[in-house]
Amino acid sequence: MFLTRISISQPVFTTMVMIAVMAFGLLGWRALPIDQYPEIDFPVVAVLTPYSGASPETVESDVTRLIEDELSTISGIDRITSTSSQGHSTVVVRFTLETDSAVAVQDVRDRIAEVAPDLPSAADAPQVVRYNPTDTPVISLAVSSDVMNQGALTRLAEDVIVPRLTAIGGVGSATLVGSVDEEVGILLDPDRLRAFGLGVADVAEALRRDNQLVSVGSLTAGSQTISVQINAEAQVVADLRNLIIAARSGEQIRLVDVADIRPGTSDPESLAFNNGRGALAIDVVRVDGANTVGVARAVEAAV
């Protein structure tokens, strides 16, 4: 009765209150964050271990089983699944929903630190990754060209596009799909190697020995200490061509004498297509708590 009596006796005041409530509601609605998923804690942890050159059977016996046996004693585990492929081991540990994901990740890291010394020396250090559904891209961009090759597109994306996108507020990362790295291919000629009495190991040793950045000490002048390094890394293809492999009868044998050196790009580890054509994709992932729609609009504006 109190509100009814005020509404009837003070119609102007009542109207102003209603307008104020609507205005605050509109402001709150515009500022309301929008997300694709609700905030749910998924206690799922993955252990990724690269083992270059190893067969799936070797990866299974030397890496995957050791990690599985070590992790199986952690409390709160619901299921452990693993995949052993050529040169890579993946072990996924799913905990019960009551388990705190931060605690689960720390427990897995502690156990991996204990089993790491038992892994093969040729295997890379295991990576412990926490599964997060918000890591899915909020927007994907495609970069293609009729005149630029994949290597030039990769340089353009790495040097220009990705730094600009990652500087946007709310963007956590921008990952390239279909990118390639520039590399120099050294195609050895077996006949020329035999003619000079050399083997593949001789060429590999010369590349390791004479193509590196070496620290040779430091110089101290008063209160300043300057590190001294010898940079013998090849800067251009011509440096590799003139690399001395060995000496026979006082004559220097260079890399160009036994091999063809060709600039090129690495084989792609992933592929991206735009309307059926090869392209370069950029997956943009937002930071936790950022407005999905706002981040997507900011990325589109930057593009």
Side-chain angles (χ1 to χ4, degrees):
M1 295 297 293
F2 172 73
L3 294 177
T4 304
R5 188 164 49 250
I6 292 179
S7 300
I8 295 175
S9 60
Q10 302 288 340
V12 176
F13 172 75
T14 303
T15 303
M16 296 300 294
V17 171
M18 293 176 60
I19 293 175
V21 171
M22 293 178 59
F24 283 117
L26 289 174
L27 291 175
W29 173 73
R30 291 178 60 86
L32 188 67
I34 301 175
D35 200 355
Q36 185 177 4
Y37 300 103
E39 291 190 9
I40 302 177
D41 187 14
F42 287 90
V44 179
V45 183
V47 181
L48 312 177
T49 310
Y51 190 5
S52 300
S55 64
E57 294 78 9
T58 303
V59 172
E60 171 71 20
S61 60
D62 295 350
V63 177
T64 303
R65 288 183 181 176
L66 293 177
I67 294 177
E68 283 182 335
D69 294 341
E70 185 67 28
L71 298 181
S72 61
T73 57
I74 299 177
S75 61
I77 290 180
D78 180 40
R79 181 183 301 174
I80 297 180
T81 58
S82 63
T83 302
S84 299
S85 57
Q86 181 75 27
H88 198 276
S89 168
T90 302
V91 179
V92 179
V93 184
R94 188 173 71 183
F95 293 83
T96 58
L97 291 178
E98 296 79 13
T99 306
D100 187 346
S101 61
V103 176
V105 170
Q106 189 58 48
D107 289 342
V108 171
R109 285 200 179 102
D110 293 340
R111 295 302 178 89
I112 292 300
E114 295 179 5
V115 75
D118 298 330
L119 298 178
S121 58
D124 295 342
Q127 300 177 358
V128 179
V129 181
R130 174 184 172 187
Y131 170 73
N132 188 352
T134 61
D135 287 341
T136 56
V138 298
I139 189 170
S140 293
L141 309 175
V143 183
S144 59
S145 173
D146 294 329
V147 295
M148 300 175 66
N149 57 29
Q150 204 73 351
L153 285 178
T154 300
R155 291 196 304 273
L156 174 66
E158 291 177 343
D159 298 340
V160 180
I161 302 177
V162 169
R164 179 69 182 273
L165 295 180
T166 53
I168 298 174
V171 173
S173 63
T175 305
L176 295 179
V177 180
S179 61
V180 294
D181 297 325
E182 289 186 325
E183 65 179 21
V184 178
I186 300 176
L187 308 179
L188 298 176
D189 188 325
D191 295 333
R192 284 189 277 174
L193 283 175
R194 283 194 295 268
F196 287 109
L198 298 174
V200 177
D202 298 318
V203 178
E205 177 60 27
L207 288 171
R208 281 193 297 264
R209 181 185 65 245
D210 299 330
N211 183 41
Q212 58 182 336
L213 181 64
V214 181
S215 177
V216 296
S218 61
L219 294 175
T220 302
S223 60
Q224 292 184 338
T225 301
I226 302 174
S227 299
V228 179
Q229 294 179 327
I230 296 178
N231 188 0
E233 293 181 329
Q235 302 298 320
V236 294
V237 176
D239 295 340
L240 282 177
R241 294 179 186 272
N242 296 321
L243 183 66
I244 298 174
I245 303 300
R248 293 291 187 271
S249 302
E251 181 182 357
Q252 293 179 339
I253 303 173
R254 303 182 184 275
L255 184 59
V256 70
D257 296 329
V258 296
D260 294 329
I261 296 93
R262 302 175 184 175
T265 58
S266 62
D267 294 332
E269 297 182 355
S270 57
L271 296 175
F273 296 92
N274 181 31
N275 294 327
R277 297 174 49 198
L280 186 67
I282 305 176
D283 291 336
V284 180
V285 178
R286 67 174 181 84
V287 297
D288 291 341
N291 190 326
T292 302
V293 175
V295 170
R297 289 175 177 171
V299 171
E300 291 177 350
V303 171

